[in-house]
Amino acid sequence: MSKSAQLIGLSAAQLSEKLQTGEISAVEATQAHIDRIADVDEAVHAFLTGTSDQALQTASEVDRQRAAGEDLHALAGVPIALKDNIVTKGITTTCASRMLADWNPVYSATVAQRIADAGLPLLGKTNMDEFAMGSTTETSAFGPTHNPWDLNCHPGGSGGGSAAALAAYSTPLALGSDTGGSIRQPGAVTGTVGVKPTYGSVSRYGVIALASSLDQVGPAARTVLDAALLHELIAGYDPRDNTSLNAPVAPVVAAAREGATGDLRGVRIGVITELAGEGYQEDVRLRFAENLDALRQTGAEVVEVSCPNIEHALAAYDVLNAAEASSNLARFDGMRFGQRVEPSDGRPVTVDTVMSASRGAGFGLEVKRRILLGIYALSGENYETVFANAQRVRSVVTEELLAAFKAVDVLVSPTSPAPAGPLGDGKENPEALLHSDVGTIAANLAGTPAMSVPAGLSENNLPVGLQIIAPQRADDRMYRVGAALETALQERWGAPLLAQAPALGQMKVEVSK
């Protein structure tokens, strides 16, 4: 096996260790991943924009600084990819939409700047559902991403590009955004780790908004420890984000290392009974039951917890998401932001006709559908009967989760009710795919942290995930539990779940044990 194949199989933590000891250089690590992207991304289509020249420049500077004995961040030299709704100065940021196809920002999002300042080479911007609206990455204006486990399947959404890049070993780290499960659900169906931190604990400044009261930036990785390392880097107060929490960052790295010992004695885990029954595939339920057994073997106490109104969370989320999206996307009108299209049907060129033509040409069908739903929910008497009622449901669901956390340390459920489906599902039956977020939405409504960890394979040898939800600002709890489960399952499987991906054997990668 070539050195390049060995390097891409290392975790971010392992790369960090080898970089700090001088066993490898940042340029070597970065070039290995650039070569990997060149080899596999035509099939996977995880990336929309590549930034290999910039990545190598960053890596070279990190090597120079390290040789000079300068104090560097632990992740300096470890490559990363960013979801394409995270604004990057001088690098095209499209939100996978024709509306922003040629936009080169003049500033960077706070999280992008923190990554740059820490010396992580940026490999590129990853594909996504248009404006983060979707569950399969098929609403992207630039074509779908394919799941590395089965190239005929989708990789989840909206952040399927970041998850697929991780699963294909094209990057060791990635960032995504999570409004209703857009980091966790792709993680579940690609066999990777996806994390939604506590709302407000990671800056949203410079991240193109979908639903501002729900959106949260978070890390994606192949291991729980890698996600924790990235989480600590990007988290923290930002005065430019008026929803940012001015509070200490939870010690997630220490919690992940503690959890990796496999000891959860004294931890009380609640199983949300309403999120594991009807509507969940049988093999998902079987893997979940096995995971609960694995958690019991770590010494944790596992009990059932009822949140009876959580079944209404999906309906409330659909209304709130659409309402906030219709407001946030109003700025993309061809006059202030976004591509400008003049009417071609003989109408005079006016403000109204340019806005109509620009939005008609720039937005895809799913974006238009949600804008119309949002306008409806906010209009006239609908505001009280639709939007306000959805807010009331949100409050009830939040209260139920808060009550549950008085009895348990964390809550668990399957991440998604089914493994990845075939490409085409998202376009043929978008309503059915909304159900894929049924287990993840409550954490967004309540602002609590949640993560998905690999939990096993379906009967079709596709990954499924287990979700861990913790109280607000207690992100470290879910990292401890997630790392303990990861250790227990890898001991049972004999290797990481991704080592069992059939497509990877043909893609020439040596999976790190």
Side-chain angles (χ1 to χ4, degrees), residues 44 145-151 153 155 163-168 190 501-504 507:
V44 177
T145 295
H146 301 254
N147 193 323
W149 283 80
D150 182 340
L151 295 175
C153 290
L166 290 163
T190 59
L504 292 178
M507 291 185 183

Side-chain angles (χ1 to χ4, degrees), residues 18 71 124 128 167 170 174 203 252 314 323 325 354 359 408 497 501 508:
K18 291 180 181 295
D71 187 23
M128 57 185 285
S170 295
S203 174
V252 294
L314 181 59
V354 169
R359 288 166 71 83
V408 298
L497 186 67
K508 299 178 181 178

Side-chain angles (χ1 to χ4, degrees), residues 443-457:
N444 296 87
L445 294 177
T448 61
M451 75 182 333
S452 178
V453 294
L457 297 176

Side-chain angles (χ1 to χ4, degrees), residues 110-456:
T110 295
V111 290
Q113 192 59 56
R114 287 182 178 175
I115 283 165
D117 292 344
L120 279 70
L122 176 60
L123 296 169
K125 308 294 290 293
T126 57
N127 200 12
M128 57 185 285
D129 283 299
E130 184 181 8
F131 282 102
M133 299 184 192
S135 301
T136 62
T137 314
E138 292 180 274
T139 70
S140 170
F142 308 112
T145 295
H146 301 254
N147 193 323
W149 283 80
D150 182 340
L151 295 175
N152 294 311
C153 290
H154 66 74
S158 65
S162 288
L166 290 163
Y169 287 81
S170 295
T171 184
L173 294 171
L175 281 188
S177 65
D178 192 309
T179 306
S182 290
I183 298 174
R184 289 163 287 157
Q185 184 252 8
V189 302
T190 59
T192 58
V193 177
V195 179
K196 185 200 86 67
T198 292
Y199 180 80
S201 64
V202 177
S203 174
R204 295 186 299 109
Y205 175 79
V207 180
I208 299 171
L210 170 54
S212 301
S213 75
L214 301 166
D215 297 343
Q216 187 56 67
V217 180
R222 287 192 294 267
T223 73
V224 173
L225 176 59
D226 285 0
L229 290 166
L230 182 54
H231 187 146
E232 281 201 357
L233 170 58
I234 62 174
Y237 177 63
D238 179 13
R240 293 177 295 182
D241 176 2
N242 61 11
T243 63
S244 182
L245 291 173
N246 192 355
V249 177
V252 294
V253 172
R257 295 190 190 281
E258 180 184 2
T261 64
D263 185 357
L264 290 182
R265 285 175 293 180
V267 175
R268 190 171 169 88
I269 297 173
V271 179
I272 304 175
T273 55
E274 289 82 5
L275 294 182
E278 186 177 350
Y280 287 77
Q281 285 193 7
E282 178 63 20
D283 42 3
V284 172
R285 293 198 296 267
L286 288 172
R287 298 294 84 76
F288 184 59
E290 293 169 0
N291 295 163
L292 295 181
D293 181 59
L295 287 169
R296 291 186 185 97
Q297 291 181 20
T298 67
E301 181 184 1
V302 179
V303 299
E304 287 197 359
V305 173
S306 179
C307 297
N309 285 292
I310 208 167
E311 64 180 356
H312 304 301
L314 181 59
Y317 167 84
D318 286 346
V319 171
L320 298 174
N321 176 291
E324 294 188 31
S326 68
S327 176
N328 280 325
L329 269 63
R331 72 195 72 179
F332 300 108
D333 55 15
M335 303 292 290
R336 294 166 293 179
F337 298 98
Q339 69 165 352
R340 176 187 172 96
V341 176
E342 296 187 355
S344 58
D345 55 4
R347 290 179 297 166
V349 177
T350 67
V351 170
D352 288 342
T353 60
V354 169
M355 285 184 177
S356 175
S358 298
R359 288 166 71 83
F363 290 143
L365 290 176
E366 180 62 17
V367 175
K368 293 175 182 175
R369 186 187 73 83
R370 295 202 195 188
I371 289 174
L372 289 173
L373 175 59
I375 292 171
Y376 174 83
L378 294 171
S379 298
E381 64 181 19
N382 297 329
Y383 182 90
E384 181 62 31
T385 59
V386 179
F387 181 76
N389 277 334
Q391 290 283 32
R392 294 184 185 102
V393 171
R394 179 180 194 167
S395 296
V396 170
V397 170
T398 300
E399 290 169 2
E400 286 187 350
L401 289 181
L402 292 177
F405 286 127
K406 293 179 180 179
V408 298
D409 297 300
V410 298
L411 297 166
V412 296
S413 74
T415 308
S416 181
L423 287 164
D425 274 6
K427 292 184 177 180
E428 293 177 8
N429 195 1
E431 292 297 328
L433 279 174
L434 290 174
H435 185 69
S436 64
D437 294 333
V438 67
T440 53
I441 279 167
N444 296 87
L445 294 177
T448 61
M451 75 182 333
S452 178
V453 294

